[in-house]
Structures are given as structure tokens and as C-alpha cells.
Amino acid sequence: MSQNNTNIDSRRLADRQTDELIGICKGILFDGMVSYDEANSLYLWFQANPKAMQTWPGKELFYTLCPMLKNNALNTDDEERLLILLSNIIGLPSVVNSGTNASSQLPLTDPAPSVFFDRRVFVVTGNLKMGARRTVIQAIEDQGGEVVLKNIRMDTDYLVIGDIGSKAWMHSTHGRKIEKAVELREQGHGIAIISEQHFMDSLIPNIEQQSASIEAANTQVTPFFTAFMQHLDAFEALEQKNIKTGLYENGVYLHQCFNNGKPQSLPSFSVELDEDNDKPWGVYGLSTPMLFDAPEEALVELLRLANI
């Protein structure tokens, strides 16, 4: 087996064990208490699932739990500390109790840092109560910040986590962006991970007006597959030019785009949503992604690029 396949299998195993751990944490918190027997059973589970104790958030929970069990009992302080840690892993109680997957509060920088916008780099993940993703992006850009839509960059200053988890996340409480931000912070990079509320408290007070106007505009957006079918003939014509077209759930990609009959040296073009399955749409494969409010606009630009 190749090293790459081994790494993939190891990652999948860690993901499965992380999902199981999140379920265990929710079960322990169901009655609002944690007993020594529950804590000890959790420790034994870690022994049988070592990938979880090597991967965040299990790693943080395991090394907090171990010293608590030395005396075969949980004192009051340990019980309270463990309850807070388990609660932070599964997210805000107000969201959890509503039946919605909450985003983990465990990775948040403590104490919450000051938030500066001018020439700072932001990444946003999760679903925010304050409104559409485009509202948040506009608010950051209006104050001089930059928003990265894809993966966490090394120069990212802030990761903003919405209170509600995204269906596109790898786990019910967090996704790859959060995992990457935690990893970078552990390596000494100056990234701050902040909550939606702390982010909102740092904004200028015109966000509600912006949100209302953008939400109204978003209700007019044509769904992706409807927009794509309107251009089906154009994409089929690309196949005749040996441009490979692939359609997937939230976008379309093109391979071997041509310029004057010769293959482009640029990466393949694609149009898609970001990891959190929200607007804006982007055309990628360029040095700087082109962003659009609707899939129709992004598809038109993708076709234009394919025919250059």
C-alpha cells in the first residue's frame, strides 16, 4: 500500500473516531452531570480508539481527563471543569437544545482577542445568525479587511465561527477550516479563532441594514442546477472541443481549456461554492478567484474563460 493511501486510511479512521467521540460527549451531557464511572468509561474508550486521542478535539479532552482519574474519583472542581470542556466540544447549549448541530466552542481563543479589520485576513465558517455570508464578507471588506473563501491561509489573522454548524462540515461540530486553524495555532502562528458574537460586537452598527438588503436580493437567485441547464448546450459544445466537463453537486469543472487552439498552462477552471455551501459563487483556477452573487453569473464567466 502506498504512503498516500496509508495517510488517507489513517485520516478516515481518525474522522470516524472523532464522530463517535462527539456522540459520546453528547450522551454524557444528556443529564447535565458527569460521574466518575462516565469519565472512566471515556478514558477506556480512548485506550481502544487511539486515533481520537491524537486528533483534536480528542487530544485536548484526553490529556485533561487523565490526571482527573488518578484518585479513582472526581472532585467537584474536576467535575465542573470536565462538564465545561464537554459542553464546549459540542457547542452552545442554546443551539444544541434547539435540535440543531452547534459549532464547537472549544477552539475559541481565550480570552477573546481584540479584532482589527484594516489589512487583516479573515476566514468565515459555519452558519451565522447575523445573516447571509455575503453580508459578513461585505462588512469585513467595508472596514478594510480581506476575506479568504477557500482554505485557511498561513497569513490568516482571524477565523470567525458561526454558532450553528454547517451541513458541509466533516463533523457535526466542526470542519476542516477549524481543524487547520487549531493546527496553525499550535504551531505558533498568530491566528485568532473567534465566535460569531465576539465578531459582531466588533463591527460597526450598520450590519442589520446590510443584511436585510442582501437577503432580499438573494431570494431572487436561480438555483445552481436550473442555471446550469440553461447553459447545457454550451457545455456540450465544449466537449466537442476536447474540453472535459464534469458536473458535481455544487458546481462544474473544466479541464484542458484552450487559447488559440493550444491548451492553457493555467490550472483547470471550476465554478463552485465555498466549503460551507453558501454564497458567493466563485470561478477558481485563476490567481485570484472571481466571485459572483449567483451561479448564473459564474457559469457565464466560466464559459467565457473556456472559449478564450
Side-chain angles (χ1 to χ4, degrees), residues 12-66:
R12 287 174 177 168
L13 178 59
D15 286 335
R16 285 201 302 271
Q17 292 183 4
T18 295
D19 286 335
E20 186 173 343
L21 175 61
I22 293 168
I24 292 171
C25 293
K26 291 180 179 179
I28 292 175
L29 287 173
F30 185 76
D31 61 359
M33 299 185 298
V34 56
S35 65
Y36 170 79
D37 288 340
E38 287 174 323
N40 190 57
S41 295
L42 181 57
Y43 173 81
L44 294 176
W45 180 87
F46 272 119
Q47 297 301 312
N49 297 271
K51 281 293 180 184
M53 74 172 72
Q54 300 165 9
T55 308
W56 184 91
K59 178 169 59 176
E60 187 166 341
L61 175 57
F62 177 74
Y63 287 106
T64 301
L65 179 65
C66 286

Short mmCIF file of all heavy atoms in Angstrom, two decimals, residues 12-66:
data_model
loop_
_atom_site.label_atom_id
_atom_site.label_comp_id
_atom_site.label_asym_id
_atom_site.label_seq_id
_atom_site.Cartn_x
_atom_site.Cartn_y
_atom_site.Cartn_z
N ARG A 12 -9.23 8.77 7.64
CA ARG A 12 -10.61 8.30 7.71
C ARG A 12 -10.90 7.67 9.06
O ARG A 12 -11.98 7.86 9.64
CB ARG A 12 -10.87 7.28 6.60
CG ARG A 12 -10.98 7.90 5.21
CD ARG A 12 -11.09 6.84 4.15
NE ARG A 12 -11.26 7.43 2.82
CZ ARG A 12 -11.16 6.75 1.68
NH1 ARG A 12 -10.88 5.44 1.72
NH2 ARG A 12 -11.33 7.35 0.53
N LEU A 13 -9.94 6.90 9.58
CA LEU A 13 -10.11 6.28 10.89
C LEU A 13 -10.23 7.34 11.98
O LEU A 13 -11.09 7.25 12.87
CB LEU A 13 -8.93 5.34 11.19
CG LEU A 13 -8.95 4.64 12.55
CD1 LEU A 13 -10.20 3.78 12.70
CD2 LEU A 13 -7.70 3.78 12.72
N ALA A 14 -9.38 8.35 11.90
CA ALA A 14 -9.44 9.44 12.88
C ALA A 14 -10.77 10.17 12.80
O ALA A 14 -11.36 10.53 13.82
CB ALA A 14 -8.29 10.41 12.64
N ASP A 15 -11.28 10.37 11.58
CA ASP A 15 -12.57 11.04 11.41
C ASP A 15 -13.70 10.22 12.02
O ASP A 15 -14.59 10.77 12.69
CB ASP A 15 -12.86 11.29 9.92
CG ASP A 15 -12.03 12.42 9.34
OD1 ASP A 15 -11.61 13.31 10.12
OD2 ASP A 15 -11.81 12.43 8.11
N ARG A 16 -13.68 8.90 11.80
CA ARG A 16 -14.72 8.04 12.36
C ARG A 16 -14.69 8.08 13.89
O ARG A 16 -15.73 8.17 14.54
CB ARG A 16 -14.56 6.60 11.87
CG ARG A 16 -14.99 6.37 10.45
CD ARG A 16 -15.29 4.90 10.20
NE ARG A 16 -14.16 4.05 10.50
CZ ARG A 16 -13.21 3.72 9.63
NH1 ARG A 16 -13.26 4.21 8.39
NH2 ARG A 16 -12.23 2.92 9.97
N GLN A 17 -13.50 8.01 14.45
CA GLN A 17 -13.39 8.02 15.90
C GLN A 17 -13.77 9.38 16.48
O GLN A 17 -14.36 9.45 17.57
CB GLN A 17 -11.98 7.62 16.31
CG GLN A 17 -11.66 6.16 15.99
CD GLN A 17 -10.28 5.71 16.46
OE1 GLN A 17 -9.56 6.47 17.11
NE2 GLN A 17 -9.92 4.49 16.13
N THR A 18 -13.47 10.45 15.76
CA THR A 18 -13.88 11.78 16.21
C THR A 18 -15.40 11.90 16.23
O THR A 18 -15.98 12.45 17.18
CB THR A 18 -13.27 12.87 15.31
OG1 THR A 18 -11.84 12.86 15.45
CG2 THR A 18 -13.79 14.25 15.68
N ASP A 19 -16.06 11.39 15.18
CA ASP A 19 -17.52 11.42 15.15
C ASP A 19 -18.11 10.63 16.32
O ASP A 19 -19.09 11.07 16.95
CB ASP A 19 -18.04 10.83 13.83
CG ASP A 19 -17.84 11.78 12.66
OD1 ASP A 19 -17.77 13.00 12.89
OD2 ASP A 19 -17.75 11.30 11.52
N GLU A 20 -17.53 9.47 16.61
CA GLU A 20 -18.01 8.66 17.73
C GLU A 20 -17.80 9.39 19.05
O GLU A 20 -18.68 9.37 19.93
CB GLU A 20 -17.30 7.31 17.75
CG GLU A 20 -17.85 6.34 18.79
CD GLU A 20 -17.25 4.95 18.69
OE1 GLU A 20 -16.65 4.63 17.63
OE2 GLU A 20 -17.36 4.19 19.67
N LEU A 21 -16.67 10.05 19.19
CA LEU A 21 -16.38 10.79 20.42
C LEU A 21 -17.39 11.92 20.63
O LEU A 21 -17.86 12.13 21.76
CB LEU A 21 -14.96 11.36 20.36
CG LEU A 21 -14.55 12.27 21.53
CD1 LEU A 21 -14.60 11.50 22.84
CD2 LEU A 21 -13.16 12.85 21.29
N ILE A 22 -17.73 12.64 19.58
CA ILE A 22 -18.71 13.71 19.70
C ILE A 22 -20.04 13.16 20.19
O ILE A 22 -20.71 13.75 21.05
CB ILE A 22 -18.88 14.44 18.35
CG1 ILE A 22 -17.59 15.20 18.00
CG2 ILE A 22 -20.07 15.41 18.39
CD1 ILE A 22 -17.55 15.71 16.58
N GLY A 23 -20.43 12.00 19.67
CA GLY A 23 -21.66 11.36 20.13
C GLY A 23 -21.60 10.97 21.59
O GLY A 23 -22.58 11.12 22.33
N ILE A 24 -20.45 10.47 22.03
CA ILE A 24 -20.27 10.10 23.44
C ILE A 24 -20.38 11.34 24.34
O ILE A 24 -21.02 11.30 25.39
CB ILE A 24 -18.91 9.40 23.64
CG1 ILE A 24 -18.92 8.03 22.95
CG2 ILE A 24 -18.59 9.23 25.12
CD1 ILE A 24 -17.56 7.36 22.91
N CYS A 25 -19.76 12.43 23.92
CA CYS A 25 -19.83 13.67 24.71
C CYS A 25 -21.27 14.14 24.85
O CYS A 25 -21.69 14.56 25.95
CB CYS A 25 -18.99 14.76 24.04
SG CYS A 25 -17.21 14.44 24.04
N LYS A 26 -22.05 14.05 23.78
CA LYS A 26 -23.45 14.46 23.84
C LYS A 26 -24.22 13.55 24.79
O LYS A 26 -25.09 14.02 25.55
CB LYS A 26 -24.06 14.43 22.44
CG LYS A 26 -23.53 15.51 21.51
CD LYS A 26 -24.17 15.42 20.13
CE LYS A 26 -23.64 16.53 19.22
NZ LYS A 26 -24.24 16.46 17.86
N GLY A 27 -23.90 12.25 24.77
CA GLY A 27 -24.59 11.32 25.66
C GLY A 27 -24.29 11.59 27.12
O GLY A 27 -25.18 11.56 27.97
N ILE A 28 -23.03 11.88 27.43
CA ILE A 28 -22.65 12.16 28.82
C ILE A 28 -23.36 13.41 29.33
O ILE A 28 -23.81 13.47 30.48
CB ILE A 28 -21.12 12.32 28.93
CG1 ILE A 28 -20.42 10.99 28.67
CG2 ILE A 28 -20.72 12.87 30.30
CD1 ILE A 28 -18.91 11.08 28.63
N LEU A 29 -23.51 14.40 28.47
CA LEU A 29 -24.10 15.67 28.88
C LEU A 29 -25.63 15.66 28.91
O LEU A 29 -26.24 16.66 29.30
CB LEU A 29 -23.63 16.78 27.94
CG LEU A 29 -22.17 17.23 28.11
CD1 LEU A 29 -21.79 18.19 27.00
CD2 LEU A 29 -21.95 17.87 29.46
N PHE A 30 -26.22 14.54 28.52
CA PHE A 30 -27.68 14.50 28.40
C PHE A 30 -28.37 14.84 29.72
O PHE A 30 -29.40 15.52 29.73
CB PHE A 30 -28.12 13.12 27.92
CG PHE A 30 -29.60 13.01 27.66
CD1 PHE A 30 -30.14 13.55 26.50
CD2 PHE A 30 -30.44 12.38 28.56
CE1 PHE A 30 -31.50 13.48 26.25
CE2 PHE A 30 -31.81 12.30 28.32
CZ PHE A 30 -32.33 12.84 27.16
N ASP A 31 -27.81 14.37 30.85
CA ASP A 31 -28.44 14.65 32.14
C ASP A 31 -27.80 15.83 32.86
O ASP A 31 -28.14 16.12 34.01
CB ASP A 31 -28.40 13.41 33.04
CG ASP A 31 -26.97 12.95 33.33
OD1 ASP A 31 -26.02 13.58 32.81
OD2 ASP A 31 -26.81 11.95 34.06
N GLY A 32 -26.86 16.51 32.21
CA GLY A 32 -26.25 17.69 32.80
C GLY A 32 -25.24 17.40 33.89
O GLY A 32 -24.82 18.31 34.60
N MET A 33 -24.83 16.14 34.02
CA MET A 33 -23.84 15.77 35.04
C MET A 33 -22.83 14.81 34.42
O MET A 33 -23.07 14.22 33.38
CB MET A 33 -24.53 15.09 36.23
CG MET A 33 -25.56 15.93 36.95
SD MET A 33 -26.20 15.10 38.43
CE MET A 33 -26.97 13.66 37.69
N VAL A 34 -21.68 14.68 35.09
CA VAL A 34 -20.69 13.69 34.68
C VAL A 34 -20.18 12.98 35.92
O VAL A 34 -19.74 13.61 36.89
CB VAL A 34 -19.52 14.34 33.90
CG1 VAL A 34 -18.85 15.44 34.69
CG2 VAL A 34 -18.52 13.29 33.45
N SER A 35 -20.29 11.66 35.91
CA SER A 35 -19.87 10.87 37.07
C SER A 35 -18.47 10.30 36.84
O SER A 35 -17.94 10.33 35.71
CB SER A 35 -20.84 9.70 37.28
OG SER A 35 -20.77 8.79 36.19
N TYR A 36 -17.89 9.77 37.91
CA TYR A 36 -16.57 9.13 37.78
C TYR A 36 -16.66 7.96 36.80
O TYR A 36 -15.76 7.77 35.97
CB TYR A 36 -16.06 8.65 39.13
CG TYR A 36 -14.82 7.77 38.98
CD1 TYR A 36 -13.57 8.34 38.78
CD2 TYR A 36 -14.93 6.38 39.01
CE1 TYR A 36 -12.44 7.55 38.60
CE2 TYR A 36 -13.80 5.58 38.84
CZ TYR A 36 -12.57 6.16 38.64
OH TYR A 36 -11.46 5.37 38.46
N ASP A 37 -17.72 7.16 36.89
CA ASP A 37 -17.85 6.00 36.01
C ASP A 37 -17.92 6.44 34.54
O ASP A 37 -17.33 5.79 33.66
CB ASP A 37 -19.10 5.20 36.36
CG ASP A 37 -18.95 4.44 37.67
OD1 ASP A 37 -17.79 4.22 38.09
OD2 ASP A 37 -19.97 4.07 38.27
N GLU A 38 -18.62 7.52 34.27
CA GLU A 38 -18.69 8.02 32.89
C GLU A 38 -17.32 8.50 32.43
O GLU A 38 -16.90 8.23 31.29
CB GLU A 38 -19.70 9.15 32.80
CG GLU A 38 -21.15 8.70 32.89
CD GLU A 38 -22.12 9.86 32.94
OE1 GLU A 38 -21.78 10.89 33.57
OE2 GLU A 38 -23.21 9.76 32.34
N ALA A 39 -16.62 9.22 33.30
CA ALA A 39 -15.29 9.71 32.95
C ALA A 39 -14.33 8.55 32.73
O ALA A 39 -13.51 8.57 31.78
CB ALA A 39 -14.77 10.63 34.05
N ASN A 40 -14.40 7.52 33.57
CA ASN A 40 -13.51 6.37 33.43
C ASN A 40 -13.84 5.58 32.17
O ASN A 40 -12.93 5.10 31.47
CB ASN A 40 -13.64 5.47 34.65
CG ASN A 40 -12.56 4.40 34.67
OD1 ASN A 40 -11.37 4.70 34.63
ND2 ASN A 40 -12.97 3.14 34.70
N SER A 41 -15.13 5.45 31.86
CA SER A 41 -15.52 4.78 30.61
C SER A 41 -15.01 5.53 29.40
O SER A 41 -14.59 4.93 28.39
CB SER A 41 -17.05 4.65 30.54
OG SER A 41 -17.53 3.80 31.56
N LEU A 42 -15.02 6.85 29.48
CA LEU A 42 -14.49 7.67 28.40
C LEU A 42 -12.99 7.43 28.25
O LEU A 42 -12.48 7.31 27.12
CB LEU A 42 -14.77 9.14 28.68
CG LEU A 42 -14.31 10.16 27.64
CD1 LEU A 42 -14.90 9.86 26.27
CD2 LEU A 42 -14.68 11.58 28.07
N TYR A 43 -12.29 7.34 29.36
CA TYR A 43 -10.85 7.05 29.32
C TYR A 43 -10.59 5.70 28.66
O TYR A 43 -9.69 5.57 27.81
CB TYR A 43 -10.29 7.08 30.74
CG TYR A 43 -8.84 6.63 30.84
CD1 TYR A 43 -7.81 7.49 30.54
CD2 TYR A 43 -8.53 5.31 31.20
CE1 TYR A 43 -6.48 7.08 30.61
CE2 TYR A 43 -7.21 4.89 31.27
CZ TYR A 43 -6.20 5.78 30.98
OH TYR A 43 -4.88 5.36 31.04
N LEU A 44 -11.36 4.68 29.03
CA LEU A 44 -11.19 3.34 28.44
C LEU A 44 -11.50 3.35 26.95
O LEU A 44 -10.85 2.66 26.16
CB LEU A 44 -12.09 2.34 29.17
CG LEU A 44 -11.73 2.08 30.64
CD1 LEU A 44 -12.75 1.16 31.28
CD2 LEU A 44 -10.32 1.49 30.77
N TRP A 45 -12.48 4.17 26.57
CA TRP A 45 -12.79 4.29 25.14
C TRP A 45 -11.60 4.87 24.39
O TRP A 45 -11.28 4.41 23.28
CB TRP A 45 -14.03 5.17 24.95
CG TRP A 45 -14.40 5.34 23.50
CD1 TRP A 45 -15.20 4.53 22.76
CD2 TRP A 45 -13.93 6.37 22.61
NE1 TRP A 45 -15.28 4.98 21.46
CE2 TRP A 45 -14.50 6.11 21.34
CE3 TRP A 45 -13.10 7.47 22.76
CZ2 TRP A 45 -14.27 6.92 20.24
CZ3 TRP A 45 -12.86 8.28 21.66
CH2 TRP A 45 -13.45 8.01 20.42
N PHE A 46 -10.96 5.88 24.95
CA PHE A 46 -9.77 6.45 24.32
C PHE A 46 -8.69 5.39 24.14
O PHE A 46 -8.00 5.36 23.12
CB PHE A 46 -9.22 7.60 25.16
CG PHE A 46 -9.82 8.94 24.85
CD1 PHE A 46 -10.51 9.67 25.81
CD2 PHE A 46 -9.68 9.51 23.59
CE1 PHE A 46 -11.05 10.91 25.53
CE2 PHE A 46 -10.22 10.74 23.29
CZ PHE A 46 -10.91 11.45 24.26
N GLN A 47 -8.51 4.50 25.13
CA GLN A 47 -7.49 3.47 25.03
C GLN A 47 -7.77 2.53 23.84
O GLN A 47 -6.84 2.04 23.20
CB GLN A 47 -7.45 2.64 26.32
CG GLN A 47 -7.06 3.44 27.56
CD GLN A 47 -5.70 4.09 27.43
OE1 GLN A 47 -4.73 3.45 27.03
NE2 GLN A 47 -5.61 5.38 27.74
N ALA A 48 -9.05 2.30 23.56
CA ALA A 48 -9.43 1.42 22.44
C ALA A 48 -9.49 2.18 21.12
O ALA A 48 -9.59 1.55 20.05
CB ALA A 48 -10.78 0.78 22.73
N ASN A 49 -9.42 3.50 21.16
CA ASN A 49 -9.52 4.33 19.95
C ASN A 49 -8.40 5.37 19.96
O ASN A 49 -8.66 6.58 20.12
CB ASN A 49 -10.89 5.00 19.88
CG ASN A 49 -12.03 4.02 19.77
OD1 ASN A 49 -12.42 3.62 18.68
ND2 ASN A 49 -12.56 3.60 20.92
N PRO A 50 -7.16 4.92 19.78
CA PRO A 50 -6.01 5.83 19.95
C PRO A 50 -5.96 6.98 18.96
O PRO A 50 -5.37 8.01 19.26
CB PRO A 50 -4.82 4.90 19.78
CG PRO A 50 -5.33 3.71 19.02
CD PRO A 50 -6.75 3.54 19.46
N LYS A 51 -6.56 6.82 17.77
CA LYS A 51 -6.54 7.93 16.81
C LYS A 51 -7.25 9.16 17.37
O LYS A 51 -6.88 10.29 17.10
CB LYS A 51 -7.19 7.50 15.49
CG LYS A 51 -6.29 6.68 14.59
CD LYS A 51 -5.13 7.49 14.07
CE LYS A 51 -4.24 6.67 13.17
NZ LYS A 51 -3.05 7.43 12.73
N ALA A 52 -8.29 8.92 18.15
CA ALA A 52 -9.06 10.03 18.71
C ALA A 52 -8.25 10.83 19.70
O ALA A 52 -8.40 12.04 19.81
CB ALA A 52 -10.34 9.50 19.37
N MET A 53 -7.37 10.15 20.45
CA MET A 53 -6.56 10.87 21.44
C MET A 53 -5.38 11.60 20.81
O MET A 53 -4.71 12.38 21.46
CB MET A 53 -6.07 9.91 22.54
CG MET A 53 -4.97 8.98 22.12
SD MET A 53 -4.25 8.02 23.49
CE MET A 53 -5.56 6.86 23.84
N GLN A 54 -5.15 11.35 19.51
CA GLN A 54 -4.07 12.02 18.80
C GLN A 54 -4.58 13.16 17.93
O GLN A 54 -3.80 13.88 17.32
CB GLN A 54 -3.33 11.00 17.90
CG GLN A 54 -2.71 9.84 18.66
CD GLN A 54 -2.31 8.71 17.74
OE1 GLN A 54 -2.34 8.84 16.52
NE2 GLN A 54 -1.93 7.58 18.32
N THR A 55 -5.90 13.30 17.87
CA THR A 55 -6.52 14.25 16.96
C THR A 55 -7.39 15.23 17.75
O THR A 55 -8.12 14.82 18.65
CB THR A 55 -7.41 13.50 15.94
OG1 THR A 55 -6.66 12.46 15.33
CG2 THR A 55 -7.93 14.46 14.88
N TRP A 56 -7.31 16.52 17.40
CA TRP A 56 -8.18 17.49 18.04
C TRP A 56 -9.62 17.22 17.62
O TRP A 56 -9.86 16.87 16.45
CB TRP A 56 -7.77 18.91 17.58
CG TRP A 56 -8.55 19.98 18.26
CD1 TRP A 56 -8.23 20.63 19.41
CD2 TRP A 56 -9.82 20.51 17.84
NE1 TRP A 56 -9.22 21.53 19.74
CE2 TRP A 56 -10.20 21.47 18.80
CE3 TRP A 56 -10.69 20.26 16.78
CZ2 TRP A 56 -11.39 22.19 18.70
CZ3 TRP A 56 -11.87 20.96 16.68
CH2 TRP A 56 -12.20 21.91 17.64
N PRO A 57 -10.62 17.30 18.53
CA PRO A 57 -10.55 17.78 19.91
C PRO A 57 -10.27 16.70 20.95
O PRO A 57 -10.15 16.99 22.13
CB PRO A 57 -11.95 18.37 20.13
CG PRO A 57 -12.83 17.46 19.33
CD PRO A 57 -12.03 17.11 18.09
N GLY A 58 -10.21 15.43 20.48
CA GLY A 58 -9.99 14.33 21.43
C GLY A 58 -8.69 14.47 22.20
O GLY A 58 -8.62 14.14 23.39
N LYS A 59 -7.67 14.98 21.53
CA LYS A 59 -6.37 15.14 22.18
C LYS A 59 -6.47 16.05 23.39
O LYS A 59 -5.94 15.73 24.47
CB LYS A 59 -5.36 15.70 21.16
CG LYS A 59 -3.99 15.96 21.72
CD LYS A 59 -3.00 16.27 20.59
CE LYS A 59 -3.40 17.46 19.77
NZ LYS A 59 -2.37 17.81 18.73
N GLU A 60 -7.18 17.15 23.26
CA GLU A 60 -7.33 18.08 24.37
C GLU A 60 -8.16 17.48 25.51
O GLU A 60 -7.84 17.64 26.68
CB GLU A 60 -7.97 19.38 23.87
CG GLU A 60 -8.02 20.47 24.91
CD GLU A 60 -8.33 21.83 24.32
OE1 GLU A 60 -8.16 22.01 23.09
OE2 GLU A 60 -8.76 22.71 25.09
N LEU A 61 -9.20 16.74 25.13
CA LEU A 61 -10.04 16.12 26.15
C LEU A 61 -9.29 15.02 26.89
O LEU A 61 -9.36 14.93 28.12
CB LEU A 61 -11.29 15.54 25.49
CG LEU A 61 -12.25 14.74 26.39
CD1 LEU A 61 -12.72 15.59 27.56
CD2 LEU A 61 -13.44 14.24 25.58
N PHE A 62 -8.55 14.20 26.17
CA PHE A 62 -7.84 13.07 26.79
C PHE A 62 -6.81 13.54 27.81
O PHE A 62 -6.76 13.04 28.94
CB PHE A 62 -7.16 12.22 25.70
CG PHE A 62 -6.35 11.09 26.26
CD1 PHE A 62 -6.97 9.96 26.79
CD2 PHE A 62 -4.96 11.14 26.26
CE1 PHE A 62 -6.21 8.91 27.31
CE2 PHE A 62 -4.20 10.10 26.78
CZ PHE A 62 -4.83 8.99 27.30
N TYR A 63 -6.01 14.51 27.43
CA TYR A 63 -4.95 14.96 28.34
C TYR A 63 -5.48 15.81 29.49
O TYR A 63 -4.78 16.03 30.48
CB TYR A 63 -3.87 15.69 27.55
CG TYR A 63 -3.04 14.73 26.72
CD1 TYR A 63 -3.20 14.65 25.34
CD2 TYR A 63 -2.14 13.86 27.34
CE1 TYR A 63 -2.46 13.74 24.59
CE2 TYR A 63 -1.40 12.95 26.59
CZ TYR A 63 -1.57 12.90 25.22
OH TYR A 63 -0.84 11.99 24.49
N THR A 64 -6.70 16.29 29.38
CA THR A 64 -7.35 16.94 30.51
C THR A 64 -7.95 15.89 31.45
O THR A 64 -7.93 16.03 32.68
CB THR A 64 -8.46 17.90 30.03
OG1 THR A 64 -7.89 18.88 29.17
CG2 THR A 64 -9.14 18.58 31.21
N LEU A 65 -8.47 14.83 30.86
CA LEU A 65 -9.15 13.78 31.62
C LEU A 65 -8.20 12.95 32.46
O LEU A 65 -8.51 12.60 33.62
CB LEU A 65 -9.92 12.88 30.65
CG LEU A 65 -10.70 11.69 31.21
CD1 LEU A 65 -11.84 12.18 32.08
CD2 LEU A 65 -11.23 10.83 30.06
N CYS A 66 -7.05 12.60 31.91
CA CYS A 66 -6.14 11.65 32.56
C CYS A 66 -5.81 12.00 34.02
O CYS A 66 -5.99 11.15 34.91
CB CYS A 66 -4.85 11.52 31.75
SG CYS A 66 -5.06 10.56 30.24
#
